């Protein structure tokens, strides 16, 4: 389990990237979240469904999700923990993290929606990290 | 979403600061927790109530909280995740993080007390980070 | 609360070490998890029971745990957060972290198994971090 050569700067950047990316999603900034994907990104977010391809289609999925959540008001939170990062030969970054999705409905205690594992491929575009791929494995499915 | 210029050393220091600060609170070291605030700190911790001002008043709030929890023994844990850090022009540090508050009563499974977003302003005093401001937004309120 | 002199590289390495170590355990790679302990490691994982000594005995405990979980299929996840690191004079590393253990049974929502505090002593062997000691305090016990 070779962790000795972790690129410290990159690791901190990835943690902060995830914080901003998921705070944008949970804060309803869907365009900001979609913009964290590359134009040709692949996002597999729902079990049993083909991954969504292109940023445009991802944004369209997000608008659909918003509609569903608007009908059942709640504050969702995506907590990423246990981030493992593996830089690839081609400069891409494979990251594997746990994601716990919480929800709080008005006046209620928080509840757990799902536990999953996020498999990401991050690339750098114009100096910024972006998701070229995000494939999510749900626990219990 | 510009994360490329994150100050790596500062980011790691903030993560460790939060770990120590909240382990102190959860471990009942209320004076250590209070001391992580500046003398003139502002701490808005309860919805619908004016923020508490000054470290002395914060400590007094903490003693009140202890009295309430003593009447209903439980181990609380504050888990901060998804820390986003924004250094300001004036040297202060704005940090936004998710906080999940858990509690475990004797012999029982853990439960979730609340999910919230912590908005901090950190400053450096005598080499140490301290909270000059902490404003907490509760989910579902 | 002196966090100013945190060794940034080491801190990031520890976070990544925990991510890989616990992803190995949760992924059923019991030999990989056991190998993250030193040959003479001490692992106190169960309240009221003597800590297990040696990597061989730890692996044997893990096989027993697998048998118990095989009889009640579920996906467990160990989320470490709030990692505090204290380098010791002798080069060892004391780390204290929160651990939240989640479980998801097929078709069910995730549930919380327990909240605990992990007390680790990490050492470096052949360039790699390993646990020489892990003592776990369960909340509510």
């Amino acid at each position: 389990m070779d962790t000795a050569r972790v690129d410290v700067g990159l690791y901190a950047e990835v943690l902060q990237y995830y914080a901003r990316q998921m705070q944008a999603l949970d804060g309803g900034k869907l365009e900001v979240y979609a913009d964290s994907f590359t134009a040709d990104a692949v996002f597999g977010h729902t079990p049993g469904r083909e991954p969504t391809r292109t940023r445009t289609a991802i944004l369209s999925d997000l608008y659909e999700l918003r509609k569903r959540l608007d009908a059942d008001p709640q504050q969702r939170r995506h907590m990423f923990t246990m981030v493992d990062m593996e830089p690839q030969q081609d400069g891409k970054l494979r990251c594997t993290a746990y994601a716990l999705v919480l929800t709080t409905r008005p006046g209620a205690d928080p509840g757990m929606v799902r536990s999953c594992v996020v498999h990401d491929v991050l690339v750098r575009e114009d100096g910024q990290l972006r998701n070229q791929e995000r494939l999510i494995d749900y626990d219990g499915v």
Side-chain angles (χ1 to χ4, degrees), chain A:
Chain A
M1 228 173 61
D2 184 1
T3 56
R5 282 159 300 183
V6 56
D7 178 333
V8 175
L10 201 52
Y11 192 76
E13 186 182 348
V14 167
L15 294 187
Q16 173 131 355
Y17 172 76
Y18 282 146
R20 288 202 184 164
Q21 184 189 42
M22 302 315 290
Q23 287 188 13
L25 175 62
D26 296 333
K29 297 171 187 167
L30 303 186
E31 295 77 13
V32 174
Y33 180 65
D35 190 55
S36 71
F37 289 83
T38 61
D40 65 346
V42 175
F43 185 11
H45 51 69
T46 305
R49 196 174 129 179
E50 277 296 293
T52 298
R53 289 166 191 279
T54 80
R55 183 193 291 151
T56 310
I58 290 169
L59 187 55
S60 160
D61 283 2
L62 292 169
Y63 287 144
E64 269 184 46
L65 174 66
R66 173 184 279 168
K67 242 189 270 176
R68 282 206 310 277
L69 293 182
D70 277 354
D72 176 15
Q74 58 190 278
Q75 178 61 60
R76 293 215 165 174
R77 298 284 171 206
H78 291 75
M79 289 172 45
F80 282 26
T81 59
M82 306 304 263
V83 177
D84 186 24
M85 172 181 100
E86 292 174 281
Q88 306 296 297
Q89 298 279 3
D90 59 4
K92 296 182 182 179
L93 211 49
R94 286 198 172 272
C95 295
T96 309
Y98 287 174
L100 180 61
V101 187
L102 303 172
T103 194
T104 308
R105 289 188 169 79
D109 288 338
M112 290 192 286
V113 176
R114 78 180 60 96
S115 165
C116 34
V117 180
V118 176
H119 302 274
D120 276 357
V121 176
L122 305 182
V123 295
R124 197 176 291 280
E125 280 186 348
D126 307 319
Q128 307 303 317
L129 290 179
R130 281 209 168 85
N131 271 78
Q132 189 175 68
E133 191 175 286
R134 169 162 288 175
L135 301 176
I136 300 180
D137 277 338
Y138 285 41
D139 289 343
V141 172

